[in-house]
């Protein structure tokens, strides 16, 4: 893979992101490149000063191509493979975020807190449950940062892993803040509570989904392509086992 090739790909990617290329042409280009090339080209754009959030403007065709990658990746790896476990955890986390959105919507619709409002109390319980699980995702991030990313970095994929680490650091205090907010013994000021809840939920909802999307469709496929030695995957698995799993990890659930 030559430097010129990646540079050219980065130019095309930028044009696609700006909407300067027809959907048909974009589909043809993106359908024909590998995840490693995509990853390296995006890394090149970041090096050129393109902001990570600008790369989020992936067009519809790009999304279609990439969503298919996740399903393919699950088929190619199978249960027990570190990437399969990480993708399965993402599925669970996306489910938690959906519950969180619904419960927060109900809470925000209430003008006042009332002990007798069973729906409200159930929604608050749901939020507490989700918040606990989101804090549990730290073990998922730790497996990424300490088992998977170093092996990718050894293959020269350093830009995307750096961004993922920054996003973990950014999300960590917000997940804790949600847990602390919802774990308070009593809600003193319901309006204030709703305001803080709304801010944290929308921040986590958008950014964690975006983070998962990037990992599922760009980072993990790139890892699968770049790490070809079975013994390296064995090492990643062994290190992952040492770090441990979340209480909701499929196959590792804690009753
Ligand atoms: Fe991550
Ligand atoms: Fe992840």
């Amino acid at each position: 893979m030559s430097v010129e090739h990646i540079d050219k790909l980065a130019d095309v990617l930028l044009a696609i992101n700006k909407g300067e290329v027809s959907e048909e042409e974009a589909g043809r280009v993106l359908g024909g490149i590998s995840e490693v090339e995509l990853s390296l080209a995006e890394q090149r754009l970041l090096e050129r000063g393109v902001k990570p959030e600008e790369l989020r403007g992936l067009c519809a065709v790009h999304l279609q191509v990439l969503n298919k990658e996740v399903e393919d990746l699950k088929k190619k790896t199978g249960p027990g493979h570190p990437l399969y476990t990480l993708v399965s955890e993402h599925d669970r986390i996306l489910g938690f975020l959906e519950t969180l959105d619904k419960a927060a919507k109900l809470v925000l619709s209430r003008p006042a807190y009332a002990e007798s409002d069973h729906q409200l109390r159930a929604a608050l319980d749901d939020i507490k449950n989700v918040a606990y699980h989101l804090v549990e995702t730290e073990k998922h991030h730790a497996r990424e940062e300490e088992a998977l990313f170093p092996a990718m970095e050894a293959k020269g994929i350093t830009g995307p892993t750096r961004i993922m680490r920054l996003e973990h650091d950014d999300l960590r205090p917000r997940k804790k803040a949600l847990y602390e907010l919802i774990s308070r013994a009593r809600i003193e000021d319901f309006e204030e509570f709703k305001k803080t809840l709304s801010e944290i939920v929308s921040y986590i909802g958008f950014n964690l989904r975006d983070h998962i999307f990037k990992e599922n469709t760009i980072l993990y496929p790139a890892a699968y392509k770049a790490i070809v030695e079975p013994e390296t995957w064995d090492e990643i698995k062994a290190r992952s086992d040492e770090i441990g799993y979340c209480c909701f990890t499929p196959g590792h659930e804690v009753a």
Side-chain angles (χ1 to χ4, degrees):
M1 214 180 308
S2 70
V3 173
E4 292 79 20
H5 176 65
I6 294 300
D7 263 327
K8 220 173 127 199
L9 198 54
D11 289 339
V12 176
L13 216 54
L14 198 58
I16 290 174
N17 269 345
K18 283 184 183 164
E20 294 168 356
V21 176
S22 74
E23 282 216 352
E24 201 189 354
E25 174 66 6
R28 200 186 58 74
V29 172
L30 292 168
I33 61 170
S34 74
E35 299 82 359
V36 173
E37 288 172 313
L38 184 62
S39 185
L40 289 173
E42 292 194 326
Q43 188 178 321
R44 182 61 45 83
L45 287 177
L46 297 175
E47 285 163 9
R48 284 191 202 163
V50 173
K51 294 196 185 76
E53 52 267 31
E54 288 176 60
L55 287 182
R56 286 176 191 169
L58 302 167
C59 68
V61 180
H62 198 166
L63 297 189
Q64 274 174 19
V65 172
L66 295 175
N67 272 331
K68 204 182 131 290
E69 301 288 349
V70 188
E71 289 314 309
D72 284 355
L73 187 65
K74 268 182 150 179
K75 275 187 212 137
K76 282 188 279 193
T77 53
H81 190 285
L83 289 178
Y84 186 96
T85 304
L86 291 168
V87 171
S88 307
E89 286 171 337
H90 282 172
D91 291 343
R92 298 294 316 272
I93 297 167
L94 291 171
F96 296 145
L97 291 176
E98 228 168 89
T99 305
L100 181 64
D101 277 348
K102 270 195 208 139
K105 203 171 158 203
L106 187 133
V107 173
L108 296 174
S109 75
R110 295 298 201 257
Y113 179 81
E115 279 291 327
S116 57
D117 187 341
H118 297 297
Q119 275 189 320
L120 174 63
R121 284 174 47 199
L124 291 171
D125 281 347
D126 280 348
I127 295 173
K128 193 168 180 179
N129 192 33
V130 167
Y132 173 77
H133 285 115
L134 290 181
V135 172
E136 269 284 302
T137 59
E138 281 310 312
K139 278 180 213 145
H140 168 99
H141 298 318
R143 264 179 277 123
E144 291 175 332
E145 291 193 9
E146 294 163 38
L148 178 66
F149 293 178
M152 294 180 73
E153 284 153 1
K155 295 284 182 184
I157 302 173
T158 56
T161 54
R162 185 171 55 86
I163 293 167
M164 294 303 108
R165 286 178 202 276
L166 288 174
E167 292 184 358
H168 292 167
D169 292 346
D170 177 56
L171 283 161
R172 189 172 299 115
R174 309 197 194 243
K175 292 186 287 187
K176 278 203 187 118
L178 178 66
Y179 187 68
E180 275 160 25
L181 177 75
I182 199 70
S183 303
R184 281 184 204 157
R186 61 166 59 222
I187 299 170
E188 304 283 347
D189 180 340
F190 194 57
E191 279 310 311
E192 185 65 34
F193 172 82
K194 283 200 295 183
K195 187 172 167 279
T196 311
L197 178 72
S198 163
E199 280 167 11
I200 304 179
V201 168
S202 52
Y203 191 93
I204 292 178
F206 177 82
N207 289 286
L208 187 50
R209 279 188 181 98
D210 183 68
H211 179 80
I212 286 175
F213 176 78
K214 283 186 278 189
E215 289 185 339
N216 274 357
T217 58
I218 300 169
L219 200 85
Y220 295 171
Y224 184 75
K225 271 272 165 69
I227 302 166
V228 289
E229 305 80 6
E231 57 273 20
T232 307
W233 284 113
D234 290 343
E235 283 163 23
I236 295 171
K237 170 82 166 63
R239 183 73 191 106
S240 298
D241 288 345
E242 266 170 39
I243 294 164
Y245 295 88
C246 312
C247 63
F248 58 83
T249 306
H252 297 268
E253 287 97 340
V254 179

